Amino acid sequence: MSKPDILQIGPYPEWDQVPLEAGFTMHKYFEAPDKIAFLSSVSERIRGIATRGELGADRALIEACPNLEIISVYGVGFDAVDLDACRERGIRVTNTPDVLTNDVADLGVAMMLVQSRGMIGAENWVRDGSWAAKGLYPLKNRVWGKRAGVLGLGRIGFEVAKRLAGFDLDIAYSGVTAKDYAPDWEFVADPVELARRSDFLFVTLAASAQTRHIVNRQVIDAVGPDGMIINISRASNIDEDALLDALETGRLGSAALDVFEGEPALNPRFLKLDNVLLQPHHASGTFETRKAMGQLVRDNLSAHFAGKTLQTPVL
Ligand code: 8YV
């Protein structure tokens, strides 16, 4: 039996690539120097797309593949996949939820700690001899006992909040509705109100057209000059220009960011700031989690082509 043809939008580690190639005929779109020519040479055969959270699949790509049946996303976020284009043609979409939740939450909390305690600067203080030459490292801000706001108490937000409880933080959250699984934490519907009562504002909501720039200038100003915004979701959830303005002028104390508009390129204004911690979109980047994500990508593709129930369907 011939193997289903899959268009591969981005690279995977070898431990995923090898089994993918055993089960499917993989067409590496990301390696093609002339993408348009490459696509037109394979598009008729393509029955599946394997992509990554940040790369997705836009309408033009979906429409270029007339026999497309399924898009399997290596990531929980599917905001970069044009779901309307998929719905119109009954194309199935899967993602990789749950397996990455704890690692993403870990990194978010680590970013808060690293940035509050100035650990990157402290490392440099040791390495460049400042400790010996200048003496004690400047004092930094306490974490425990302060107030945290979690914007979006889904799977990842919940795990962030659980961890923050361990630091005796006073926790509140915002979302569409109050969650019955979070009776100990205050529900604050309005993001501006949530920001006003937060020393640390965690942005953990799934990105969509509705959440675009939900963290706007008003929210940023409500966090204020002593506060910090931590983003482990998608850049589009924050008005990045407003964030940069606030960081540059000190209207916002600091930020810790794993995601950027136009990543991996980022606005050069970020590089001039010392009140922001910059991370290369690696919140799910552990061996254990990435292996589980790759397995789910394959399991969903295999289930689909075997006519079985999809493991983690979005559509
Ligand atoms: C991954 C992500 O870094 O899950 C997501 O939505 O953005 C991340 O886990 C990415 O999908 C890997 O390419």
Side-chain angles (χ1 to χ4, degrees):
M1 216 174 65
S2 72
K3 299 191 277 191
D5 288 76
I6 306 290
L7 189 67
Q8 183 179 342
I9 308 304
Y12 296 122
E14 203 187 336
W15 56 73
D16 290 323
Q17 195 66 39
V18 170
L20 272 172
E21 281 174 13
F24 309 95
T25 302
M26 302 301 292
H27 300 276
K28 292 183 180 164
Y29 180 73
F30 60 100
E31 280 185 353
D34 181 344
K35 303 241 176 320
I36 295 173
F38 177 78
L39 195 55
S40 67
S41 70
V42 297
S43 60
E44 289 282 332
R45 276 179 283 153
I46 296 301
R47 296 177 64 197
I49 287 179
T51 188
R52 302 173 63 106
E54 74 280 20
L55 300 176
D58 63 15
R59 179 176 281 275
L61 190 74
I62 293 165
E63 287 181 350
C65 303
N67 298 309
L68 183 62
E69 298 166 33
I70 182 168
I71 298 176
S72 185
V73 181
Y74 177 81
V76 66
F78 46 83
D79 51 303
V81 175
D82 191 321
L83 293 185
D84 288 336
C86 294
R87 275 192 204 98
E88 286 164 20
R89 289 182 33 212
I91 294 166
R92 307 298 310 270
V93 178
T94 62
N95 65 343
T96 61
D98 301 319
V99 294
L100 49 66
T101 302
N102 287 304
D103 278 342
V104 176
D106 280 357
L107 196 91
V109 174
M111 284 159 61
M112 169 188 70
L113 290 164
V114 165
Q115 181 66 351
S116 293
R117 300 301 302 271
M119 289 173 70
I120 306 285
E123 161 90 6
N124 292 336
W125 194 260
V126 175
R127 286 187 187 273
D128 71 8
S130 294
W131 191 12
K134 301 182 196 166
L136 298 177
Y137 185 60
L139 301 182
K140 298 294 169 186
N141 293 308
R142 171 182 285 180
V143 168
W144 68 269
K146 292 202 171 163
R147 299 163 308 162
V150 181
L151 186 54
L153 200 76
R155 286 173 281 227
I156 292 171
F158 183 76
E159 286 301 325
V160 167
K162 251 174 63 186
R163 284 157 175 72
L164 298 179
F167 290 95
D168 286 336
L169 285 166
D170 171 9
I171 298 162
Y173 68 97
S174 190
V176 180
T177 53
K179 307 288 185 197
D180 52 11
Y181 54 77
D184 296 340
W185 305 325
E186 189 186 342
F187 175 65
V188 181
D190 177 11
V192 178
E193 281 310 312
L194 182 77
R196 199 163 283 138
R197 72 162 312 286
S198 300
D199 299 303
F200 302 105
L201 182 70
F202 283 83
V203 186
T204 52
L205 21 82
S208 67
Q210 289 71 42
T211 67
R212 183 172 166 75
H213 292 187
I214 187 169
V215 178
N216 55 20
R217 182 182 166 133
Q218 245 190 314
V219 173
I220 294 165
D221 284 349
V223 177
D226 297 320
M228 182 191 298
I229 294 177
I230 301 107
N231 191 6
I232 45 171
S233 60
R234 284 289 187 268
S236 65
N237 282 333
I238 301 185
D239 179 341
E240 205 172 75
D241 285 329
L243 180 74
L244 280 159
D245 291 345
L247 286 167
E248 284 166 353
T249 57
R251 290 196 338 269
L252 175 67
S254 62
L257 308 170
D258 189 42
V259 284
F260 302 88
E261 289 289 359
E263 62 185 51
L266 69 164
N267 191 321
R269 288 166 70 192
F270 278 119
L271 303 176
K272 298 203 181 89
L273 292 167
D274 58 12
N275 53 351
V276 60
L277 176 71
L278 307 170
Q279 295 288 294
H281 195 156
H282 73 131
S284 68
T286 66
F287 291 109
E288 296 89 338
T289 282
R290 288 287 168 86
K291 284 185 178 174
M293 288 164 64
Q295 185 68 53
L296 255 184
V297 165
R298 295 193 294 283
D299 288 350
N300 278 307
L301 288 172
S302 301
H304 172 79
F305 291 111
K308 295 191 179 146
T309 307
L310 299 179
Q311 298 229 353
T312 46
V314 173
L315 280 186

